C-alpha cells in the first residue's frame, strides 16, 4: 500500500491544524487539500485520516474531527457515496450501536461518537445536501442546533453500501485495526508538549515502508497443501482417478532437439528489426538461412515487424522475403501488402527493386507500389525532401523499365504526368526521354538482368 512520505504528512497535518480549522470554512480547507494532493494521492491521504480519526488523542478537537470527516467525503464527491472507499466510516459514525456487517470491525470499534450536531451535518453531507454547510467554519457547525436541520432518509445509500460490502471476501471483512488505543489520555491535550508528542506519534504511526498505523489483522486462510505427485513422473491432476478411460499422449521430443542455429538466427532477426547489424552478424544470419532454408519459418518475423527490418537491414529483409516466398507462399501476400503500404524510402525501394529481379512479383503489387511512390512525391510539402524522393523514384522506375520488370504502356500516362510535373529535376527529364524513346521505338529494350543498387 502506498503511504505518505514525511513531507506529505507534514502538509496534511498543517491543513488540519487547530488554528487553521478554527478560522477557515470547510470549503477553503477542502481547496487547500486539493491544491496539496492530486487525485492519485486521495486514497493514501484518506487512509491516514481514518487512522487519526480512530485515535481520540490525535484529533482532540471536534472541529478537527469534523474537518477530517468532510475530507473523506469531499475527495470522492464526484462519485456515488456507495463507491467511496471510506463510506463504511460514515455508516459507523451515524450508527455507532449497529454494525453494518457482523464481521466488519475495521472502523467501528475505534471510531469516535459524534454529537447530534455533527451527526446531522454528516447526514446532509452523505445525502449530497451539505453544500451550504461547506461555507461555514467547522467550529460553528458543531454548535448548530440539530433541530434546525431537516431529516434525511439514508436507507437507500445504506442498502447500496451493504451490497458492495457483501462482495468482499469474508477474510477482508473480518480484519481489525493493528492499533490499541491507550485509555489514559493526556491531561492537557492542547499544551505545547502534548502537541509535539502528538506529531511524533503520528509520524511513527504513518511514515515508513511498513507503517504500523496502517496494519490490519486478519484471520489466516488455512488450507491443506495438495500432493504434487501420484506417481513418480506424473502430477495428480493429470491422472483423474474417476475417468480411467482417458489417456494422455505426450510428445517427448518437443523442444529437445532445437538446433542452436535456429535459436541464433531468430535472435539475430529480432535484433535486426531494432538495430543495424554489424557485418559479422549479417554474415552469420545469411549463412544460417543458406544452410537451412526451413529455419525462416521460426524467425518470428511477422508482417507487422517487416517495415522495421526493411529500414534497418534492407539486405537481410530481401533474403528473408525470398526464403519466405519459397517456404510460406500462402502467407507471402500479407508481407507484400505491408511492404506496399509502408512509408516510401530508399530502403523500401531497394527491397522492391531487388525482389522484382529475383522473382516474378504480382503485377498489381508492383503497380500499386509505383502509384504510392508517385503519390508520396506529389503530396510531400518539404521541397528538399520532395526533390530527393523524386530523384529516387525516377532512378527506381528507370531500373524497372530497363530490366523489363514492368510494361511501361500500362503506366505510361501516370508516369509521363509525373515526369512533366517534376521536369525541373534532371532525373525526371531523363525518365521522360526514356519514355519517349520507348514509345517511338527508337530504343531497343535490353535483356533483363541484375539491377544496379539504389543504395549506391
Amino acid at each position: 500500500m502506498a503511504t505518505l512520505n514525511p513531507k506529505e504528512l507534514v502538509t496534511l497535518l498543517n491543513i488540519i491544524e487547530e488554528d487553521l480549522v478554527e478560522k477557515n470554512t470547510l470549503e477553503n480547507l477542502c481547496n487547500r487539500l486539493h491544491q496539496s494532493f492530486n487525485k492519485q494521492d486521495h486514497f493514501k491521504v484518506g487512509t491516514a485520516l481514518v487512522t487519526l480519526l480512530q485515535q481520540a488523542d490525535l484529533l482532540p478537537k471536534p472541529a478537527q474531527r469534523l474537518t477530517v470527516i468532510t475530507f473523506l467525503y469531499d475527495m470522492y464527491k464526484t462519485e456515488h457515496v456507495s463507491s467511496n472507499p471510506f463510506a463504511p466510516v460514515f455508516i459507523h459514525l451515524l450508527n455507532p450501536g449497529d454494525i453494518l456487517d457482523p464481521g466488519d470491525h475495521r472502523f467501528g470499534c475505534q471510531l469516535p461518537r459524534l454529537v447530534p450536531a455533527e451527526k446531522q451535518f454528516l447526514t446532509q453531507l452523505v445525502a449530497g445536501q451539505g453544500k451550504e454547510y461547506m461555507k461555514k467554519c467547522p467550529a460553528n457547525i458543531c454548535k448548530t442546533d440539530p433541530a434546525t436541520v431537516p431529516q434525511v432518509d439514508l436507507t437507500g445509500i445504506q442498502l447500496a453500501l451493504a451490497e458492495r460490502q457483501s462482495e468482499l471476501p469474508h477474510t477482508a471483512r473480518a480484519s481489525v485495526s493493528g492499533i490499541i488505543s491507550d485509555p489514559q489520555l493526556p491531561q492537557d491535550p492542547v499544551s505545547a508538549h502534548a502537541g509535539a508528542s502528538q506529531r511524533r506519534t503520528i509520524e511513527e504511526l504513518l511514515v515508513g515502508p511498513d507503517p504500523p498505523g496502517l496494519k490490519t489483522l486478519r484471520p489466516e486462510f488455512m488450507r491443506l497443501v495438495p500432493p504434487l505427485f501420484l506417481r513418480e513422473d506424473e502430477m495428480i491432476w493429470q491422472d483423474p482417478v474417476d475417468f480411467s478411460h482417458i489417456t494422455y499422449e505426450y510428445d517427448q521430443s518437443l523442444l529437445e532437439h532445437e538446433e542452436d542455429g535456429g535459436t541464433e538466427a531468430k535472435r539475430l532477426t529480432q535484433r535486426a528489426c531494432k538495430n543495424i547489424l554489424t557485418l559479422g552478424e549479417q554474415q552469420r544470419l545469411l549463412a544460417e538461412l543458406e544452410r537451412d532454408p526451413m529455419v525462416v519459418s521460426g524467425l518470428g518475423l511477422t508482417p507487422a515487424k517487416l517495415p522495421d527490418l526493411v529500414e534497418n537491414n534492407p539486405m537481410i529483409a530481401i533474403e528473408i522475403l525470398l526464403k519466405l516466398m519459397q517456404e510460406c507462399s500462402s502467407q507471402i501476400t500479407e508481407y507484400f501488402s505491408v511492404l506496399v503500404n509502408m512509408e516510401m524510402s530508399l530502403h523500401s525501394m531497394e527491397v522492391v527493386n531487388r525482389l522484382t529481379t529475383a522473382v516474378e512479383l504480382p503485377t498489381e503489387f508492383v503497380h500499386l507500389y509505383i502509384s504510392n511512390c508517385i503519390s508520396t512525391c506529389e503530396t510531400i510539402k518539404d521541397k528538399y525532401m520532395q526533390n530527393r524522393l523524386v530523384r529516387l523514384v525516377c532512378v527506381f522506375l528507370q531500373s524497372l523499365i530497363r530490366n523489363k520488370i514492368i510494361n511501361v504502356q500500362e503506366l505510361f500516362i501516370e508516369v509521363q504526368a509525373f515526369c512533366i510535373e517534376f521536369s525541373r529535376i534532371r532525373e525526371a527529364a531523363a525518365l521522360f526521354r526514356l519514355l519517349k524513346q520507348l514509345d517511338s521505338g527508337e530504343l531497343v529494350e535490353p535483356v533483363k538482368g541484375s539491377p544496379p543498387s539504389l543504395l549506391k
Side-chain angles (χ1 to χ4, degrees):
M1 175 189 296
T3 59
L4 296 174
N5 58 46
K7 183 179 179 181
E8 292 172 332
L9 181 59
V10 169
T11 301
L12 180 60
L13 294 179
N14 288 339
I15 297 175
I16 59 175
E17 271 286 350
E18 180 182 351
D19 292 341
L20 192 63
V21 168
E22 293 286 345
K23 299 176 183 178
N24 286 270
T25 64
L26 286 173
E27 187 176 37
N28 291 338
L29 293 170
C30 288
N31 289 337
R32 285 175 177 266
L33 181 74
H34 290 297
Q35 290 171 3
S36 303
F37 299 96
N38 55 40
K39 191 173 182 179
Q40 289 75 20
D41 296 328
H42 284 177
F43 185 76
K44 64 181 182 182
V45 170
T47 304
L49 291 176
V50 170
T51 302
L52 298 180
L53 195 63
Q54 290 175 318
Q55 315 305 319
D57 56 330
L58 300 183
L59 286 179
K61 292 295 183 180
Q64 290 178 297
R65 186 170 60 205
L66 201 64
T67 301
V68 167
I69 294 172
T70 305
F71 285 171
L72 294 177
Y73 172 82
D74 193 74
M75 288 188 295
Y76 296 91
K77 64 182 178 181
T78 58
E79 306 174 18
H80 190 273
V81 68
S82 63
S83 300
N84 189 319
F86 305 104
V89 175
F90 307 143
I91 302 303
H92 284 303
L93 289 171
L94 294 173
N95 304 278
D98 303 327
I99 297 297
L100 183 64
D101 184 281
D104 191 356
H105 299 278
R106 290 172 295 164
F107 305 123
C109 61
Q110 298 186 71
L111 288 174
R113 287 184 175 269
L114 303 183
V115 299
E118 293 173 327
K119 277 191 178 182
Q120 289 298 334
F121 166 72
L122 180 55
T123 301
Q124 297 291 322
L125 198 66
V126 172
Q129 301 176 13
K131 190 173 182 180
E132 61 180 37
Y133 291 93
M134 299 296 290
K135 300 184 182 298
K136 298 181 180 180
C137 293
N140 294 336
I141 295 175
C142 294
K143 301 174 184 177
T144 304
D145 184 1
T148 63
V149 181
Q151 298 292 324
V152 178
D153 183 12
L154 297 180
T155 305
I157 295 176
Q158 293 190 27
L159 288 175
L161 180 60
E163 290 179 1
R164 292 183 64 88
Q165 290 291 102
S166 65
E167 297 173 0
L168 295 174
H170 286 286
T171 53
R173 286 181 281 158
S175 60
V176 295
S177 174
I179 304 176
I180 300 177
S181 300
D182 187 351
Q184 296 182 354
L185 299 180
Q187 296 297 321
D188 186 11
V190 297
S191 66
H193 175 73
S197 177
Q198 286 174 3
R199 286 261 180 162
R200 187 166 55 253
T201 302
I202 292 173
E203 185 173 349
E204 292 174 353
L205 286 176
L206 299 178
V207 174
D210 189 20
L214 302 183
K215 284 185 177 181
T216 56
L217 304 178
R218 299 180 182 179
E220 185 178 357
F221 181 61
M222 304 294 293
R223 60 180 177 179
L224 296 176
V225 179
L228 290 179
F229 296 101
L230 179 66
R231 295 194 300 271
E232 184 178 349
D233 59 348
E234 185 130 13
M235 289 185 172
I236 189 170
W237 48 82
Q238 288 182 320
D239 191 6
V241 294
D242 295 333
F243 302 95
S244 58
H245 60 281
I246 297 179
T247 59
Y248 294 88
E249 297 292 337
Y250 300 97
D251 186 355
Q252 302 293 343
S253 64
L254 285 176
L255 302 179
E256 289 185 0
H257 303 291
E258 183 177 7
E259 296 183 5
D260 293 340
T263 303
E264 175 72 1
K266 182 177 181 179
R267 184 186 67 80
L268 289 173
T269 302
Q270 298 302 316
R271 177 176 172 80
C273 292
K274 300 177 181 179
N275 302 289
I276 299 176
L277 296 183
T278 65
L279 181 59
E281 290 174 330
Q282 292 184 41
Q283 292 174 347
R284 290 204 304 274
L285 179 53
L286 293 175
E288 291 294 338
L289 293 173
E290 188 66 28
R291 183 177 63 84
D292 182 12
M294 292 295 293
V295 79
V296 74
S297 59
L299 294 178
L301 179 66
T302 62
K305 295 180 180 179
L306 181 61
D308 293 332
L309 179 63
V310 169
E311 290 304 323
N312 289 314
N313 298 275
M315 294 298 116
I316 298 298
I318 292 169
E319 293 301 323
I320 291 179
L321 286 173
L322 290 175
K323 293 293 189 295
L324 285 171
M325 292 178 68
Q326 299 172 7
E327 306 298 334
C328 309
S329 57
S330 61
Q331 301 176 9
I332 197 62
T333 304
E334 298 179 30
Y335 292 91
F336 283 164
S337 177
V338 170
L339 187 59
V340 165
N341 291 290
M342 71 176 286
E343 184 177 351
M344 190 196 85
S345 66
L346 172 61
H347 286 177
S348 68
M349 283 192 289
E350 176 67 15
V351 171
V352 174
N353 188 36
R354 291 298 186 97
L355 287 177
T356 54
T357 57
V359 294
E360 186 174 351
L361 297 179
T363 304
E364 60 274 15
F365 161 73
V366 181
H367 287 183
L368 179 58
Y369 185 75
I370 293 173
S371 297
N372 286 347
C373 289
I374 292 176
S375 176
T376 301
C377 292
E378 293 172 343
T379 55
I380 192 169
K381 300 300 181 182
D382 189 311
K383 287 297 182 183
Y384 172 79
M385 288 301 301
Q386 185 182 57
N387 292 344
R388 184 172 182 271
L389 292 179
V390 168
R391 292 188 180 95
L392 289 175
V393 172
C394 290
V395 174
F396 173 62
L397 289 174
Q398 288 187 54
S399 175
L400 295 181
I401 293 172
R402 292 183 182 279
N403 288 279
K404 303 175 68 174
I405 303 301
I406 60 173
N407 184 353
V408 72
Q409 297 301 325
E410 297 178 358
L411 297 169
F412 188 85
I413 296 177
E414 184 177 7
V415 176
Q416 181 178 250
F418 171 74
C419 294
I420 294 173
E421 181 179 358
F422 298 101
S423 57
R424 68 181 186 279
I425 298 176
R426 182 179 58 185
E427 287 79 5
L431 177 60
F432 183 77
R433 288 194 298 270
L434 177 62
L435 291 177
K436 287 300 183 182
Q437 291 173 347
L438 289 175
D439 189 45
S440 62
E442 297 178 9
L443 180 66
V444 178
E445 297 178 348
V447 179
K448 181 178 179 180
S450 298
S453 173
L454 300 178
L455 295 176
K456 294 181 180 179

